[in-house]
mmCIF file with all atom_site columns, all heavy atoms in Angstrom:
data_model
loop_
_atom_site.group_PDB
_atom_site.id
_atom_site.type_symbol
_atom_site.label_atom_id
_atom_site.label_alt_id
_atom_site.label_comp_id
_atom_site.label_asym_id
_atom_site.label_entity_id
_atom_site.label_seq_id
_atom_site.pdbx_PDB_ins_code
_atom_site.Cartn_x
_atom_site.Cartn_y
_atom_site.Cartn_z
_atom_site.occupancy
_atom_site.B_iso_or_equiv
_atom_site.pdbx_formal_charge
_atom_site.auth_seq_id
_atom_site.auth_comp_id
_atom_site.auth_asym_id
_atom_site.auth_atom_id
_atom_site.pdbx_PDB_model_num
ATOM 1  N N   . ALA Z 1 19 ? -34.726 -0.656 -17.848 1.00 94.00 ? 19 ALA Z N   1
ATOM 2  C CA  . ALA Z 1 19 ? -33.448 -0.610 -17.134 1.00 94.00 ? 19 ALA Z CA  1
ATOM 3  C C   . ALA Z 1 19 ? -33.506 -1.581 -15.961 1.00 94.00 ? 19 ALA Z C   1
ATOM 4  O O   . ALA Z 1 19 ? -34.588 -2.005 -15.529 1.00 94.00 ? 19 ALA Z O   1
ATOM 5  C CB  . ALA Z 1 19 ? -33.172 0.806  -16.657 1.00 94.00 ? 19 ALA Z CB  1
ATOM 6  N N   . ASP Z 1 20 ? -32.357 -1.957 -15.452 1.00 96.00 ? 20 ASP Z N   1
ATOM 7  C CA  . ASP Z 1 20 ? -32.316 -2.824 -14.267 1.00 96.00 ? 20 ASP Z CA  1
ATOM 8  C C   . ASP Z 1 20 ? -32.609 -2.033 -12.995 1.00 96.00 ? 20 ASP Z C   1
ATOM 9  O O   . ASP Z 1 20 ? -33.262 -2.535 -12.080 1.00 96.00 ? 20 ASP Z O   1
ATOM 10 C CB  . ASP Z 1 20 ? -30.932 -3.474 -14.143 1.00 96.00 ? 20 ASP Z CB  1
ATOM 11 C CG  . ASP Z 1 20 ? -30.622 -4.418 -15.283 1.00 96.00 ? 20 ASP Z CG  1
ATOM 12 O OD1 . ASP Z 1 20 ? -31.562 -5.050 -15.802 1.00 96.00 ? 20 ASP Z OD1 1
ATOM 13 O OD2 . ASP Z 1 20 ? -29.437 -4.505 -15.673 1.00 96.00 ? 20 ASP Z OD2 1
ATOM 14 N N   . LEU Z 1 21 ? -32.103 -0.803 -12.953 1.00 97.00 ? 21 LEU Z N   1
ATOM 15 C CA  . LEU Z 1 21 ? -32.210 -0.008 -11.720 1.00 97.00 ? 21 LEU Z CA  1
ATOM 16 C C   . LEU Z 1 21 ? -32.353 1.461  -12.084 1.00 97.00 ? 21 LEU Z C   1
ATOM 17 O O   . LEU Z 1 21 ? -31.680 1.953  -12.999 1.00 97.00 ? 21 LEU Z O   1
ATOM 18 C CB  . LEU Z 1 21 ? -30.962 -0.212 -10.855 1.00 97.00 ? 21 LEU Z CB  1
ATOM 19 C CG  . LEU Z 1 21 ? -30.843 0.604  -9.564  1.00 97.00 ? 21 LEU Z CG  1
ATOM 20 C CD1 . LEU Z 1 21 ? -31.962 0.215  -8.583  1.00 97.00 ? 21 LEU Z CD1 1
ATOM 21 C CD2 . LEU Z 1 21 ? -29.478 0.386  -8.914  1.00 97.00 ? 21 LEU Z CD2 1
ATOM 22 N N   . LEU Z 1 22 ? -33.210 2.160  -11.350 1.00 97.00 ? 22 LEU Z N   1
ATOM 23 C CA  . LEU Z 1 22 ? -33.367 3.607  -11.507 1.00 97.00 ? 22 LEU Z CA  1
ATOM 24 C C   . LEU Z 1 22 ? -33.238 4.266  -10.143 1.00 97.00 ? 22 LEU Z C   1
ATOM 25 O O   . LEU Z 1 22 ? -33.933 3.878  -9.189  1.00 97.00 ? 22 LEU Z O   1
ATOM 26 C CB  . LEU Z 1 22 ? -34.729 3.931  -12.118 1.00 97.00 ? 22 LEU Z CB  1
ATOM 27 C CG  . LEU Z 1 22 ? -35.026 5.433  -12.327 1.00 97.00 ? 22 LEU Z CG  1
ATOM 28 C CD1 . LEU Z 1 22 ? -34.156 5.984  -13.457 1.00 97.00 ? 22 LEU Z CD1 1
ATOM 29 C CD2 . LEU Z 1 22 ? -36.510 5.659  -12.609 1.00 97.00 ? 22 LEU Z CD2 1
ATOM 30 N N   . ILE Z 1 23 ? -32.341 5.220  -10.027 1.00 98.00 ? 23 ILE Z N   1
ATOM 31 C CA  . ILE Z 1 23 ? -32.190 6.028  -8.815  1.00 98.00 ? 23 ILE Z CA  1
ATOM 32 C C   . ILE Z 1 23 ? -32.854 7.368  -9.108  1.00 98.00 ? 23 ILE Z C   1
ATOM 33 O O   . ILE Z 1 23 ? -32.417 8.099  -10.008 1.00 98.00 ? 23 ILE Z O   1
ATOM 34 C CB  . ILE Z 1 23 ? -30.716 6.261  -8.434  1.00 98.00 ? 23 ILE Z CB  1
ATOM 35 C CG1 . ILE Z 1 23 ? -29.904 4.957  -8.538  1.00 98.00 ? 23 ILE Z CG1 1
ATOM 36 C CG2 . ILE Z 1 23 ? -30.609 6.885  -7.051  1.00 98.00 ? 23 ILE Z CG2 1
ATOM 37 C CD1 . ILE Z 1 23 ? -30.193 3.942  -7.502  1.00 98.00 ? 23 ILE Z CD1 1
ATOM 38 N N   . THR Z 1 24 ? -33.903 7.701  -8.371  1.00 97.00 ? 24 THR Z N   1
ATOM 39 C CA  . THR Z 1 24 ? -34.643 8.927  -8.647  1.00 97.00 ? 24 THR Z CA  1
ATOM 40 C C   . THR Z 1 24 ? -34.318 10.024 -7.636  1.00 97.00 ? 24 THR Z C   1
ATOM 41 O O   . THR Z 1 24 ? -33.911 9.740  -6.496  1.00 97.00 ? 24 THR Z O   1
ATOM 42 C CB  . THR Z 1 24 ? -36.162 8.659  -8.620  1.00 97.00 ? 24 THR Z CB  1
ATOM 43 O OG1 . THR Z 1 24 ? -36.538 8.231  -7.303  1.00 97.00 ? 24 THR Z OG1 1
ATOM 44 C CG2 . THR Z 1 24 ? -36.544 7.589  -9.624  1.00 97.00 ? 24 THR Z CG2 1
ATOM 45 N N   . ASN Z 1 25 ? -34.517 11.266 -8.065  1.00 97.00 ? 25 ASN Z N   1
ATOM 46 C CA  . ASN Z 1 25 ? -34.446 12.441 -7.176  1.00 97.00 ? 25 ASN Z CA  1
ATOM 47 C C   . ASN Z 1 25 ? -33.132 12.546 -6.408  1.00 97.00 ? 25 ASN Z C   1
ATOM 48 O O   . ASN Z 1 25 ? -33.098 13.033 -5.280  1.00 97.00 ? 25 ASN Z O   1
ATOM 49 C CB  . ASN Z 1 25 ? -35.607 12.419 -6.162  1.00 97.00 ? 25 ASN Z CB  1
ATOM 50 C CG  . ASN Z 1 25 ? -36.955 12.277 -6.822  1.00 97.00 ? 25 ASN Z CG  1
ATOM 51 O OD1 . ASN Z 1 25 ? -37.288 13.030 -7.731  1.00 97.00 ? 25 ASN Z OD1 1
ATOM 52 N ND2 . ASN Z 1 25 ? -37.727 11.273 -6.394  1.00 97.00 ? 25 ASN Z ND2 1
ATOM 53 N N   . VAL Z 1 26 ? -32.060 12.109 -6.999  1.00 98.00 ? 26 VAL Z N   1
ATOM 54 C CA  . VAL Z 1 26 ? -30.778 12.085 -6.307  1.00 98.00 ? 26 VAL Z CA  1
ATOM 55 C C   . VAL Z 1 26 ? -29.912 13.237 -6.798  1.00 98.00 ? 26 VAL Z C   1
ATOM 56 O O   . VAL Z 1 26 ? -30.022 13.672 -7.953  1.00 98.00 ? 26 VAL Z O   1
ATOM 57 C CB  . VAL Z 1 26 ? -30.071 10.724 -6.519  1.00 98.00 ? 26 VAL Z CB  1
ATOM 58 C CG1 . VAL Z 1 26 ? -29.542 10.570 -7.944  1.00 98.00 ? 26 VAL Z CG1 1
ATOM 59 C CG2 . VAL Z 1 26 ? -28.961 10.511 -5.515  1.00 98.00 ? 26 VAL Z CG2 1
ATOM 60 N N   . ILE Z 1 27 ? -29.068 13.766 -5.926  1.00 98.00 ? 27 ILE Z N   1
ATOM 61 C CA  . ILE Z 1 27 ? -28.154 14.846 -6.292  1.00 98.00 ? 27 ILE Z CA  1
ATOM 62 C C   . ILE Z 1 27 ? -26.836 14.220 -6.732  1.00 98.00 ? 27 ILE Z C   1
ATOM 63 O O   . ILE Z 1 27 ? -26.130 13.587 -5.934  1.00 98.00 ? 27 ILE Z O   1
ATOM 64 C CB  . ILE Z 1 27 ? -27.922 15.813 -5.117  1.00 98.00 ? 27 ILE Z CB  1
ATOM 65 C CG1 . ILE Z 1 27 ? -29.257 16.404 -4.655  1.00 98.00 ? 27 ILE Z CG1 1
ATOM 66 C CG2 . ILE Z 1 27 ? -26.966 16.939 -5.535  1.00 98.00 ? 27 ILE Z CG2 1
ATOM 67 C CD1 . ILE Z 1 27 ? -29.158 17.218 -3.380  1.00 98.00 ? 27 ILE Z CD1 1
ATOM 68 N N   . VAL Z 1 28 ? -26.520 14.383 -8.010  1.00 98.00 ? 28 VAL Z N   1
ATOM 69 C CA  . VAL Z 1 28 ? -25.367 13.701 -8.609  1.00 98.00 ? 28 VAL Z CA  1
ATOM 70 C C   . VAL Z 1 28 ? -24.136 14.614 -8.611  1.00 98.00 ? 28 VAL Z C   1
ATOM 71 O O   . VAL Z 1 28 ? -24.239 15.799 -8.950  1.00 98.00 ? 28 VAL Z O   1
ATOM 72 C CB  . VAL Z 1 28 ? -25.698 13.258 -10.049 1.00 98.00 ? 28 VAL Z CB  1
ATOM 73 C CG1 . VAL Z 1 28 ? -24.457 12.692 -10.747 1.00 98.00 ? 28 VAL Z CG1 1
ATOM 74 C CG2 . VAL Z 1 28 ? -26.815 12.233 -10.031 1.00 98.00 ? 28 VAL Z CG2 1
ATOM 75 N N   . ALA Z 1 29 ? -22.994 14.040 -8.250  1.00 98.00 ? 29 ALA Z N   1
ATOM 76 C CA  . ALA Z 1 29 ? -21.717 14.753 -8.350  1.00 98.00 ? 29 ALA Z CA  1
ATOM 77 C C   . ALA Z 1 29 ? -21.233 14.641 -9.789  1.00 98.00 ? 29 ALA Z C   1
ATOM 78 O O   . ALA Z 1 29 ? -20.779 13.580 -10.224 1.00 98.00 ? 29 ALA Z O   1
ATOM 79 C CB  . ALA Z 1 29 ? -20.700 14.155 -7.391  1.00 98.00 ? 29 ALA Z CB  1
ATOM 80 N N   . ASP Z 1 30 ? -21.351 15.741 -10.530 1.00 98.00 ? 30 ASP Z N   1
ATOM 81 C CA  . ASP Z 1 30 ? -20.887 15.798 -11.914 1.00 98.00 ? 30 ASP Z CA  1
ATOM 82 C C   . ASP Z 1 30 ? -19.402 16.165 -11.890 1.00 98.00 ? 30 ASP Z C   1
ATOM 83 O O   . ASP Z 1 30 ? -19.042 17.328 -11.707 1.00 98.00 ? 30 ASP Z O   1
ATOM 84 C CB  . ASP Z 1 30 ? -21.700 16.841 -12.674 1.00 98.00 ? 30 ASP Z CB  1
ATOM 85 C CG  . ASP Z 1 30 ? -21.247 17.034 -14.122 1.00 98.00 ? 30 ASP Z CG  1
ATOM 86 O OD1 . ASP Z 1 30 ? -20.239 16.427 -14.519 1.00 98.00 ? 30 ASP Z OD1 1
ATOM 87 O OD2 . ASP Z 1 30 ? -21.909 17.815 -14.838 1.00 98.00 ? 30 ASP Z OD2 1
#
Side-chain angles (χ1 to χ4, degrees):
D20 295 328
L21 176 64
L22 180 71
I23 315 289
T24 63
N25 307 308
V26 72
I27 302 172
V28 173
D30 177 355

